[in-house]
Amino acid sequence: LKEIFPGVFKIGEQLATRNLAPGKSVYGEKRVTEGGVEYRFWDPWRSKLGAAIMRGLKTMPIKSGNTVLYLGAAQGTTPSHVADIVGKNGIVICIDIAPKTFEKLLEVCETRENLLPVLADANAPEGYAEYVEKKVDVVYQDLAQREQAKILVKNVRSYLKKGGYAVFMIKARSIDVTAEPSSVFAKEIVELKKAGLEVVETKPLEPYEKDHVAVVARLRD
Ligand SMILES: C[S@@+](CC[C@H](N)C(=O)[O-])C[C@H]1O[C@@H](n2cnc3c(N)ncnc32)[C@H](O)[C@@H]1O
């Protein structure tokens, strides 16, 4: 057992987080107890953040006690690991627009007090203002959508504190199916820079995800 970032572990070659809801898995992942603590394995084939870490991401902006605004929470796979990392003193505000996946997300949130599910459109951030009590430490976005950078920028302007981080999973094919992925990434990154975000690190997610890049950016003070 090796802690590679605060709250993120390697058990052998596998990634894991400390299970905030011992006895429960979220997406069929295996659990293991070491030294009286239960860990859940984190499958990089199912989670882009897991993939970025397996690919050697150096900057891990999500920390214990953080408030994270998570855009595109889907069924809660990655959000559940983010919840394990921020721990009991942190909170993960989970936004998703799809009512069907939201049902599964609600189940996951029932077992984890620090996950707050909100059915809303990430493209209209004012719609969830009442759930974001103060500016957040991290905005995490994985929407697989067109206009991804624009949506991220709107949320950063409304809710990210200065010096806070944006974690952005860019899926090139969702933005422009005809363009070369690399030119799509470049254009998206220009958008982020215009909004005062400094790109700290970019990490391609192959082989776990094709044509995806993880971007970690910091909002200037
Ligand atoms: C690739 S999935 C996210 C997977 C999740 N991040 C994980 O790793 O477990 C993308 C999600 O974004 C949601 N989504 C797409 N457009 C959205 C929007 N405008 N507002 C909120 N959610 C949106 C979809 O409903 C879908 O659940």
Side-chain angles (χ1 to χ4, degrees):
L1 184 87
K2 190 176 153 212
E3 191 164 23
I4 58 169
F5 293 116
V8 180
F9 301 85
K10 273 264 183 88
I11 300 175
E13 285 307 301
Q14 285 176 285
L15 215 53
T17 55
R18 221 181 264 130
N19 194 358
L20 252 195
K24 293 199 172 80
S25 293
V26 172
Y27 53 99
E29 75 284 7
K30 290 215 165 68
R31 306 185 307 269
V32 64
T33 302
E34 298 247 353
V37 178
E38 190 178 283
Y39 297 84
R40 292 191 298 131
F41 287 111
W42 186 355
D43 186 349
W45 298 94
R46 302 278 302 272
S47 167
K48 289 170 202 127
L49 183 57
I53 294 171
M54 286 302 277
R55 284 294 317 269
L57 188 77
K58 290 191 197 75
T59 324
M60 175 54 177
I62 303 167
K63 299 190 175 75
S64 173
N66 277 175
T67 299
V68 178
L69 176 61
Y70 195 117
L71 309 171
Q75 302 191 333
T77 302
T78 302
S80 70
H81 288 291
V82 173
D84 287 350
I85 295 166
V86 302
K88 289 199 171 104
N89 296 324
I91 184 155
V92 187
I93 305 161
C94 294
I95 310 292
D96 206 284
I97 199 172
K100 267 212 168 145
T101 45
F102 200 71
E103 281 173 32
K104 170 71 187 162
L105 180 64
L106 284 177
E107 273 175 40
V108 175
C109 294
E110 265 170 30
T111 61
R112 287 159 189 276
E113 279 176 20
N114 64 352
L115 280 177
L116 175 68
V118 184
L119 184 64
D121 182 357
N123 201 14
E126 61 284 358
Y128 38 90
E130 64 181 293
Y131 301 101
V132 191
E133 285 173 7
K134 57 175 173 52
K135 291 224 168 176
V136 304
D137 301 294
V138 178
V139 174
Y140 185 106
Q141 178 173 305
D142 177 19
L143 294 177
Q145 263 241 16
R146 280 171 179 278
E147 309 269 280
Q148 291 185 96
K150 285 205 177 106
I151 296 175
L152 180 67
V153 164
K154 276 190 194 176
N155 281 275
V156 162
R157 290 205 168 117
S158 305
Y159 299 125
L160 184 63
K161 70 179 185 198
K162 288 190 175 151
Y165 285 90
V167 181
F168 184 27
M169 301 301 171
I170 305 183
K171 182 182 177 188
R173 301 278 176 224
S174 302
I175 303 167
D176 185 341
V177 287
T178 59
E180 277 300 307
S182 58
S183 79
V184 172
F185 301 142
K187 272 192 211 150
E188 294 284 282
I189 284 171
V190 168
E191 291 281 322
L192 303 190
K193 286 185 177 159
K194 277 195 237 159
L197 286 164
E198 289 172 293
V199 174
V200 179
E201 195 176 349
T202 59
K203 186 61 77 185
L205 301 184
E206 268 97 18
Y208 303 104
E209 293 277 353
K210 208 165 169 273
D211 298 330
H212 276 74
V213 171
V215 178
V216 178
R218 185 175 173 276
L219 186 60
R220 268 186 219 116
D221 295 306

